[in-house]
């Protein structure tokens, strides 16, 4: 599998949100306003790439040699959580501008299953380091794309005549479903 | 198993160590208030406030970007807690409420037939909407759909109606409305608003110096909501009982109905609801913002000072009024006579202001008992100077200081003080053949008072003609009915004395009208050799008055700094901001403009309160560029108003002349409830472009 395929596959075909249904809580929670959605998307790109790479290192250099592969889930969670905390502190001090941009979204994705899921998928597909990097980036960009598209739609929905019982999250989920179906059109591209 | 445990322990310890090291290395100071504020939020992370979670909201509050009321889930208690953490202007800690600023709705005609999707945003992109009125509500209810709290409906007249009990002030409606019709404001923000060129306001409201929302209170009266009407008036005018009696209602001059019919009797309606509240025996509650801990001094308890104190108090400041006289009211207590404004009524009104927590220090005079430096030293942050205009101008003719000669304000205040406070002292002197010089309210009040005191012959001598008399029209008419003799076009030249030094005659020159002067009035010029003598035993000069600024001479420090104009009024560069040449001193009313009206003083009091409030918050005092002030919105001034069916204006009920000239009982009476309902239905409920021609709403 070439890098190009991994990239296209990660962004469109196997979009982490719309094809794999991971990370739905921030998808619904932060998509009401475009501004928030963009912030979240950037934060995910940042964390997901870092987490993907670090968990690969952890897996390849510690878990496998010590035959502790069964500890993968718990070890990953611990590492990702610490990583996010660390990155937050680091940015706050060193790159305040970037922190101001992402800041508040960073801690929010400590528990984002898209991040964790992407890391596991990288391992399961037995990718090498470079491919892990590309795959993580692709997933993250795919997440951002879906989130921003969805936020655009939801900003309009506020103005539509939605029957009372379907308002807000309900119509959000319906829309997400339709958006997800449209992404199925990419199936077969690779 | 052992490896697993060891590995996890190691990993945990590693991560922990790295993080704790990092927290030291990367430590940045963070405002501790953020954590406290976050603790006060509902911690629901619902995002309803528009921020990404409670901590983001807390950051925004501490950064001053969000009000303490940011958390829409938690109640007012939380808001107060957050405000206290922030020590911020608790004005914003009051609940935000949504207000609809357009109640034209369906009455505006349509320019085209619209069949697109039912959204105001979509419709407004088509030539700004289908209605003829370019600024009004489109009525498709984007705001209603945006409201997550079910607080809005489109009412039967095609504009949104706010349910104040459900509205949480989240601002969703304000954001979606393409016409800026929905406004989210706290009471303080509403109190601070000045009329602007882009406001949706009727000609009468534009003209009222106090900027009262006239059509709104008239509609409330029409629908029987008298309490609502009183509250509407109180948002702009704390002296509704007094204004309802003495205001010469400049608003009625611009009343649109007046173009085709007689103007709506706006002021009688005000008096009706004001009297209704007083006679109901209980006061309507007036909201006061949480305390700011700032202290403001108000010098002078006349309409300007009372209004300034009232609004400052409602904005949450601690206010103390210092006044030279024993009781509050200023010129409306000691100048305007009892038969026009009963002092019992005034006392009820001023007590309502004191009840809000305003302090009153009577019998202290600036310049004699204290100076401004002392006020500042004792912890006052700002000073409002509303000392009015109490110094009579003099004629400058020979003999005007003879025995039997008085000045207007002096005569009225002496008499009022005797009547109100020292009825057991001998009554001040009253002559039998009295002449009052002047054509303003003071002169007319003097003659009407003299008639009531039993003077046989009372005349008014005025330089110009009746049309130029600045006194209120109703006053002049009443004086005519009460048998006053008017001598127009007369310029006094000399007071004649007898051998004991008593005034016995007034010599004057007859005048004729010449070329118009700067003010457009034809200037009177004396006719040579037309000297005439009027026999008198009492003369009152009431030709105008200016502020008594003797305190400047007494107080060296302010003497140097406080600037006066050449009319010895207190100089303020900007009539809207009303800041004097010393930044913490503000002024308004007669002491800033020279003798004027009660409503003007009330309006100035509010503008000064606004400036003081902003000054205390460290804000820039320059008024918004769009401030209307005494101007009119050109589009709103019509030449004709089609569709009006003439309906007679309710006349003012008054006591019969022979009854009223014998006593100081109130002469003008209040209209009946039936008349009030009728009169209110004459109002067209105007906005800038449209109105209700056929009285449908
Ligand atoms: C006889 C008369 C009739 C009028 N009739 C009408 C009318 O019908 N309709 C209308 O709209 N307007 C009328 N006016 C005008 C109106 O009364 C004034 O415009 C209005 O009262 C001005 O309010 P003010 O607060 O600026 O000043 P004032 O009402 O004059 O109040 C000033 C206050 O400051 C106090 N004071 C003054 N100097 C000092 C000092 N050195 N230290 C401490 N306190 C001080 C005084 O005791 C007074 O309480 C009339 C005025 C007069 C004189
Ligand atoms: S107030 Fe604004 S959003 Fe609401 S119906 Fe009117 S135009 Fe539409
Ligand atoms: S008709 Fe009513 S709203 Fe219109 S100008 Fe007259 S009082 Fe004001």
């Amino acid at each position: 599998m070439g890098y190009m395929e991994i990239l296209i596959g990660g962004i469109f075909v196997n979009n982490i949100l719309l094809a794999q249904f991971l990370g739905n809580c921030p998808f619904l929670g932060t998509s009401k306003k475009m501004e928030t959605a963009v912030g979240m998307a950037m934060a995910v790109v940042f964390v997901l790439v870092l987490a993907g790479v670090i968990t690969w290192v952890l897996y390849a250099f510690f878990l496998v040699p010590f035959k502790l592969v069964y500890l993968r889930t718990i070890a990953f969670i611990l590492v990702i959580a610490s990583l996010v905390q660390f990155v937050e502190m680091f940015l706050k001090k060193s790159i305040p501008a970037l922190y101001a941009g992402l800041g508040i979204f960073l801690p929010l994705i400590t528990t984002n299953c898209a991040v964790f899921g992407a890391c596991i998928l990288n391992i399961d597909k037995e990718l090498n380091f470079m491919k892990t990097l590309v795959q993580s980036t692709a997933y993250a960009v795919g997440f951002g794309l879906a989130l921003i598209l969805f936020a655009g739609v939801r900003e309009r929905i506020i103005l539509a005549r939605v029957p009372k019982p379907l308002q807000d999250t309900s119509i959000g989920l319906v829309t997400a479903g339709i958006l997800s179906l449209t992404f199925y059109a990419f199936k077969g591209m690779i | 198993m052992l490896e697993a445990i060891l590995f996890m322990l190691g990993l945990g310890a590693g991560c922990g160590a790295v993080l704790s090291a990092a927290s030291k290395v990367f430590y940045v100071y963070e405002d501790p208030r953020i954590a406290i504020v976050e603790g006060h939020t509902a911690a629901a992370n619902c995002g309803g406030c528009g921020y990404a979670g409670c901590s983001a909201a807390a950051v925004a509050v501490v950064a001053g970007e969000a009000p303490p009321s940011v958390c829409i889930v938690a109640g007012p208690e939380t808001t107060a807690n957050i405000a206290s953490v922030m020590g911020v202007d608790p004005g914003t800690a009051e609940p935000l409420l949504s207000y609809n600023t357009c109640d034209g709705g369906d009455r505006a005609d349509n320019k085209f037939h619209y069949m697109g999707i039912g959204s105001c945003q979509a419709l407004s992109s088509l030539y700004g909407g289908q209605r003829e009125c370019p600024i009004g509500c489109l009525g498709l209810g984007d705001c209603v759909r945006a409201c997550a709290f079910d607080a809005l409906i489109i009412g039967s007249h095609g504009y949104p109606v706010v349910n104040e009990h459900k509205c949480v002030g989240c601002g969703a409606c304000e954001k979606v409305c393409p016409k800026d019709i929905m406004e989210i404001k706290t009471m303080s923000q509403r109190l601070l608003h000045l009329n602007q060129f882009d406001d949706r306001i009727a000609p009468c409201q534009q003209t009222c110096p106090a900027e009262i929302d006239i059509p709104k209170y008239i509609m409330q009266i029409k629908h029987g909501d008298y309490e609502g009407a009183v509250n509407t008036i109180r948002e702009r005018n704390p002296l509704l009982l007094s204004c309802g009696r003495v205001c010469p209602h400049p608003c009625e001059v611009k009343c649109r109905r007046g173009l085709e019919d007689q103007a709506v009797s706006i002021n009688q309606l005000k008096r009706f609801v004001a009297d209704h509240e007083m006679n109901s025996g209980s006061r309507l509650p007036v909201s006061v913002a949480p305390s700011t801990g700032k202290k403001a001094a108000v010098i002078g308890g006349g309409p300007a000072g009372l209004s300034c104190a009232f609004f400052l108090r409602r904005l949450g400041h601690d206010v103390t009024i210092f006044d030279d006289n024993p009781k509050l009211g200023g010129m409306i207590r000691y100048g305007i006579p009892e038969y026009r404004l009963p002092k019992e009524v005034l006392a009820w009104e001023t007590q309502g202001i004191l009840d809000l927590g305003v302090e009153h220090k009577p019998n202290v005079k600036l310049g004699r008992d204290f100076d401004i430096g002392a006020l500042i030293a004792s912890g006052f942050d700002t000073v409002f100077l509303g000392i009015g205009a109490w110094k009579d101008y003099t004629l400058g003719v020979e003999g005007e200081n003879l025995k039997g000669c008085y000045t207007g304000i002096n005569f009225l205040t002496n008499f009022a003080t005797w009547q109100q406070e020292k009825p057991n002292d001998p009554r001040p002197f009253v002559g039998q053949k009295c002449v009052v010089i002047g054509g303003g309210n003071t002169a007319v009040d003097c003659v009407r008072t003299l008639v009531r005191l039993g003077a046989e012959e009372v005349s008014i001598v005025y330089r110009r003609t009746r049309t130029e008399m600045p006194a209120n029209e109703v006053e002049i008419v009443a004086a005519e009915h009460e048998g006053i003799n008017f001598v127009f076009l007369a310029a006094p030249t000399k007071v004649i004395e007898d051998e004991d030094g008593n005034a016995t005659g007034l010599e004057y020159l007859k005048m004729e009208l010449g070329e118009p002067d700067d003010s457009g009035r034809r200037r009177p010029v004396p006719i040579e050799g037309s000297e005439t003598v009027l026999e008198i035993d009492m003369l009152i000069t009431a030709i105008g008055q200016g502020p008594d600024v003797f305190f400047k001479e007494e107080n060296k420090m302010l003497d140097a700094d406080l600037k006066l104009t050449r009319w010895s009024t207190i100089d303020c560069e900007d009539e809207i901001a009303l800041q004097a040449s010393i930044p913490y001193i503000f002024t308004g009313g007669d002491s800033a403009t020279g003798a004027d009206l009660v409503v003007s003083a009330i309006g100035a009091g509010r503008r000064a309160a606004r400036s003081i409030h902003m000054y205390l918050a460290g804000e820039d005092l320059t008024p918004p560029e769009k401030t209307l002030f005494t101007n009119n919105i050109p589009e709103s001034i019509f030449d004709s108003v089609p569709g009006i069916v003439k309906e007679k204006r309710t006349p003012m009920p008054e006591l019969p002349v022979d009854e009223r000239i014998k006593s100081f009982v109130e002469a003008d009476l209040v209209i009946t409830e039936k008349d009030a309902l009728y009169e209110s239905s004459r109002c067209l409920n105007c906005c800038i472009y449209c109105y209700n021609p056929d009285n449908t709403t």
Side-chain angles (χ1 to χ4, degrees):
Chain A
M1 222 182 0
Y3 290 115
M4 206 55 205
E5 275 121 72
I6 295 183
L7 205 60
I8 301 284
I11 297 179
F12 297 107
V13 186
N14 297 318
N15 185 293
I16 191 125
L17 268 174
L18 297 173
Q20 323 225 30
F21 307 114
L22 289 169
N24 263 301
C25 8
F27 185 53
L28 288 167
T30 60
S31 55
K32 276 195 204 164
K33 256 169 68 184
M34 185 54 90
E35 226 176 286
T36 335
V38 172
M40 189 68 186
M42 304 230 308
V44 166
V45 171
F46 198 78
V47 171
L48 209 159
V49 174
L50 266 178
V53 170
I54 293 201
T55 49
W56 188 89
V57 171
L58 181 73
Y59 188 80
F61 294 105
F62 294 94
L63 295 180
V64 175
F66 294 109
K67 304 204 171 47
L68 290 169
V69 181
Y70 58 89
L71 283 177
R72 186 175 70 173
T73 308
I74 189 162
F76 279 17
I77 290 179
L78 191 66
V79 170
I80 295 175
S82 315
L83 173 74
V84 172
Q85 293 297 319
F86 180 82
V87 168
E88 195 194 349
M89 285 189 252
F90 171 77
L91 287 185
K92 206 171 185 177
K93 177 86 176 180
S94 316
I95 322 178
L98 185 59
Y99 176 78
L102 310 177
I104 210 66
F105 298 101
L106 283 173
L108 279 184
I109 43 180
T110 318
T111 47
N112 184 340
C113 46
V115 175
F116 183 71
C119 298
I120 301 278
L121 285 170
N122 289 341
I123 306 290
D124 282 353
K125 287 195 181 157
E126 295 175 2
L127 301 177
N128 65 18
F129 182 78
M130 273 320 283
K131 286 190 176 164
T132 298
L133 183 65
V134 176
Q135 177 78 296
S136 307
T137 316
Y139 279 148
V141 172
F143 182 95
L145 174 76
L147 184 60
I148 290 171
L149 282 179
F150 189 49
V153 177
R154 279 191 92 178
E155 280 199 338
R156 303 278 158 133
I157 290 183
I158 293 189
L159 307 177
R161 256 179 232 183
V162 179
K164 197 101 231 182
L166 274 182
Q167 277 172 7
D168 211 31
T169 316
S170 332
I171 192 74
L173 280 165
V174 173
T175 321
I178 297 172
L179 203 59
S180 157
L181 278 178
T182 61
F183 266 64
Y184 269 70
F186 293 118
K187 279 269 176 268
M189 254 177 81
I190 46 167
Chain B
M1 189 61 199
L2 190 63
E3 305 108 307
I5 293 174
L6 285 179
F7 177 80
M8 284 315 293
L9 277 177
L11 192 63
C15 288
V18 170
L19 284 184
S20 70
S23 74
K24 252 211 137 60
V25 176
F26 298 123
Y27 171 78
V28 257
Y29 171 78
E30 188 177 65
D31 201 324
R33 291 178 302 177
I34 296 180
I36 307 176
V37 170
E38 188 179 349
H40 281 308
T41 62
N45 270 320
C46 65
C49 54
Y51 292 93
C54 302
S55 56
V59 171
V61 169
V62 174
E65 285 157 11
S69 53
V70 64
C71 182
I72 58 166
V73 180
E77 208 177 302
T78 300
T79 309
N81 285 339
I82 297 181
S84 72
V85 174
M86 296 300 302
V88 285
D89 164 20
T92 46
E94 302 165 278
L96 285 155
L97 261 193
S98 170
Y99 296 90
N100 164 23
T101 58
C102 169
D103 55 4
D106 292 332
R107 76 183 182 192
D109 291 339
N110 283 349
K111 287 186 287 195
F112 54 82
H113 189 55
Y114 177 75
M115 289 192 299
I117 58 167
S119 141
C120 305
Q121 299 213 336
L123 175 53
S124 77
S125 59
L126 275 182
Y127 311 104
Q130 91 279 34
R131 286 185 176 158
E132 288 281 2
C133 166
I135 52 166
C137 174
L138 302 172
L140 293 181
D142 280 5
C143 49
V144 175
R145 284 184 292 278
C147 179
F149 299 90
D150 232 354
L152 283 173
I153 50 162
I154 294 288
S156 56
H157 298 298
Y159 55 81
V161 180
V162 184
N163 180 337
E164 296 192 356
H165 302 293
K166 287 186 176 173
C167 174
V168 300
C170 69
C173 50
E174 187 183 55
K175 280 188 206 118
V176 294
C177 177
K179 291 281 180 187
D180 297 331
I181 281 166
M182 304 307 296
E183 262 179 9
I184 307 293
K185 282 190 169 162
T186 61
M187 182 44 92
S188 291
Q189 286 168 328
R190 286 169 64 79
L191 295 178
L192 293 171
H193 182 81
L194 302 179
N195 280 352
Q196 294 192 350
F197 271 102
D198 49 2
D199 283 345
R200 293 167 183 82
I201 45 179
C204 49
Q205 188 185 351
Q206 299 166 26
T207 315
C208 171
E211 311 194 340
I212 302 172
D213 192 341
I214 294 166
K216 180 168 170 192
Y217 86 70
I218 298 188
M219 282 307 113
Q220 284 166 322
I221 295 176
K222 184 172 164 179
H223 296 132
D225 178 12
Y226 304 143
E227 301 189 352
V230 167
N231 288 333
T232 303
I233 300 170
R234 275 224 178 92
E235 273 182 36
R236 292 288 177 267
N237 182 345
L239 300 176
L240 46 169
L241 282 167
S242 310
C243 258
R245 287 171 166 74
V246 303
C247 187
H249 39 71
C251 54
E252 292 178 19
V253 175
K254 286 278 158 64
C255 174
R256 229 172 241 171
R257 181 173 270 280
L259 288 173
E260 310 282 341
D261 187 6
Q262 291 164 299
V264 175
S265 190
I266 300 174
N267 201 41
Q268 292 204 78
L269 287 169
K270 184 191 298 120
R271 166 157 183 197
F272 169 76
V273 278
D275 279 23
H276 182 87
E277 186 202 9
M278 181 175 67
N279 296 334
S280 76
S282 63
R283 296 177 193 274
L284 292 177
V286 174
S287 69
V288 172
S291 174
T292 59
K294 303 274 187 198
K295 282 173 74 183
V298 169
I299 304 179
L306 286 168
S307 159
C308 185
F310 172 81
F311 287 106
L312 282 173
R313 184 67 204 115
R314 289 192 74 177
L315 293 166
H317 306 291
D318 290 337
V319 190
T320 309
I321 302 178
F322 298 85
D323 197 294
D324 181 18
N325 278 302
K327 290 194 181 142
L328 288 174
M331 214 42 112
I332 61 176
R333 174 176 283 278
Y334 297 102
I336 296 183
E338 175 78 14
Y339 61 86
R340 283 220 279 145
L341 174 58
K343 299 306 170 282
E344 210 178 292
V345 173
L346 179 62
W348 195 85
E349 186 139 270
T350 54
Q351 189 56 44
I353 297 175
L354 296 182
D355 286 352
L356 300 180
V358 172
E359 228 186 292
H360 174 210
K361 293 237 186 301
N363 302 316
V364 285
K365 187 165 194 169
L366 173 69
R368 184 189 66 199
D369 304 311
F370 66 99
D371 58 30
I372 295 179
L375 288 183
I376 300 297
S378 61
F380 285 96
D381 297 290
T382 59
V383 176
F384 174 79
L385 273 181
I387 55 168
W390 283 56
K391 198 171 173 179
D392 287 292
Y393 294 148
T394 48
L395 265 181
V397 301
E398 187 186 321
E400 66 176 311
N401 295 323
L402 292 172
K403 240 188 272 165
C405 293
Y406 299 83
T407 54
I409 302 297
N410 217 326
F411 169 74
L412 287 174
T413 52
N414 271 344
F415 177 70
T417 311
W418 170 78
Q419 195 180 36
Q420 294 171 33
E421 279 139 29
K422 301 172 185 147
N424 298 327
D425 287 8
R427 195 181 83 173
F429 171 78
V430 174
Q432 286 308 312
K433 292 181 178 153
C434 308
V435 165
V436 176
I437 305 175
N441 277 322
T442 314
V444 179
D445 281 341
C446 286
V447 291
R448 292 186 69 194
T449 301
L450 288 169
V451 165
R452 284 165 173 72
L453 290 174
E456 259 166 31
E457 253 176 59
V458 184
S459 319
I460 235 179
V461 170
Y462 181 50
R463 243 158 32 99
R464 303 176 188 246
T465 64
R466 186 183 184 294
T467 32
E468 278 102 18
M469 279 181 78
N472 304 352
E473 178 63 21
V474 279
E475 296 306 308
I476 304 174
V477 173
E480 284 169 348
H481 291 168
E482 289 170 11
I484 308 293
N485 173 34
F486 285 80
V487 184
F488 292 115
L489 290 167
T493 46
K494 192 160 93 186
V495 188
I496 297 162
E497 62 183 314
D498 64 9
E499 52 280 8
D500 301 329
N502 295 319
T504 56
L506 175 72
E507 183 193 272
Y508 66 89
L509 271 180
K510 290 190 179 157
M511 318 267 269
E512 58 189 358
L513 288 180
E515 294 301 302
D517 63 6
D518 298 345
S519 65
R521 304 190 294 185
R522 289 176 67 191
R523 187 199 302 274
V525 280
I527 308 170
E528 288 296 322
S530 65
E531 283 87 351
T532 318
V533 176
L534 267 177
E535 207 181 309
I536 58 167
D537 59 1
M538 182 181 197
L539 176 76
I540 299 179
T541 322
I543 54 163
Q545 61 263 8
D548 186 0
V549 287
F550 83 99
F551 65 88
K552 282 237 328 161
E553 283 102 67
E554 308 288 320
N555 183 330
K556 292 289 168 288
M557 256 167 55
L558 290 170
D559 197 12
D561 295 340
L562 188 69
K563 286 206 197 91
L564 300 181
T565 64
R566 61 194 169 95
W567 301 276
S568 77
T569 55
I570 295 155
D571 193 16
C572 46
E573 240 168 58
D574 186 330
E575 288 174 289
I576 300 169
L578 292 169
Q579 190 175 33
S581 54
I582 301 174
Y584 56 79
I585 300 185
F586 296 80
T587 184
D590 285 1
S591 52
T593 55
D596 200 354
L597 301 179
V598 175
V599 260
S600 313
I602 289 169
R606 187 173 72 93
R607 289 200 304 280
R610 173 179 180 277
S611 293
I612 292 173
H613 180 74
M614 290 165 67
Y615 174 84
L616 289 173
E619 289 167 28
D620 178 22
L621 298 187
T622 340
E625 228 171 89
K626 290 181 283 188
T627 310
L628 197 55
F629 196 38
T630 50
N631 301 306
N632 281 116
I633 302 171
E635 304 88 293
S636 70
I637 304 300
F638 293 178
D639 298 328
S640 64
V641 262
I644 304 295
V645 186
K646 280 197 183 166
E647 281 168 346
K648 227 173 128 25
R649 171 183 161 114
T650 309
M652 183 176 66
E654 42 184 6
L655 283 184
V657 175
D658 44 357
E659 205 173 303
R660 73 185 190 222
I661 58 168
K662 288 191 210 113
S663 77
F664 279 82
V665 177
E666 183 164 28
D668 299 345
L669 307 175
V670 65
I671 54 175
T672 61
E673 179 162 8
K674 188 164 148 265
D675 283 345
L677 292 173
Y678 163 78
E679 191 61 27
S680 61
S681 73
R682 293 179 73 234
C683 173
L684 312 175
N685 193 17
C686 307
C687 188
I688 297 182
Y689 297 94
C690 57
Y691 55 94
N692 293 341
D694 47 4
N695 291 312
T696 41
T697 24

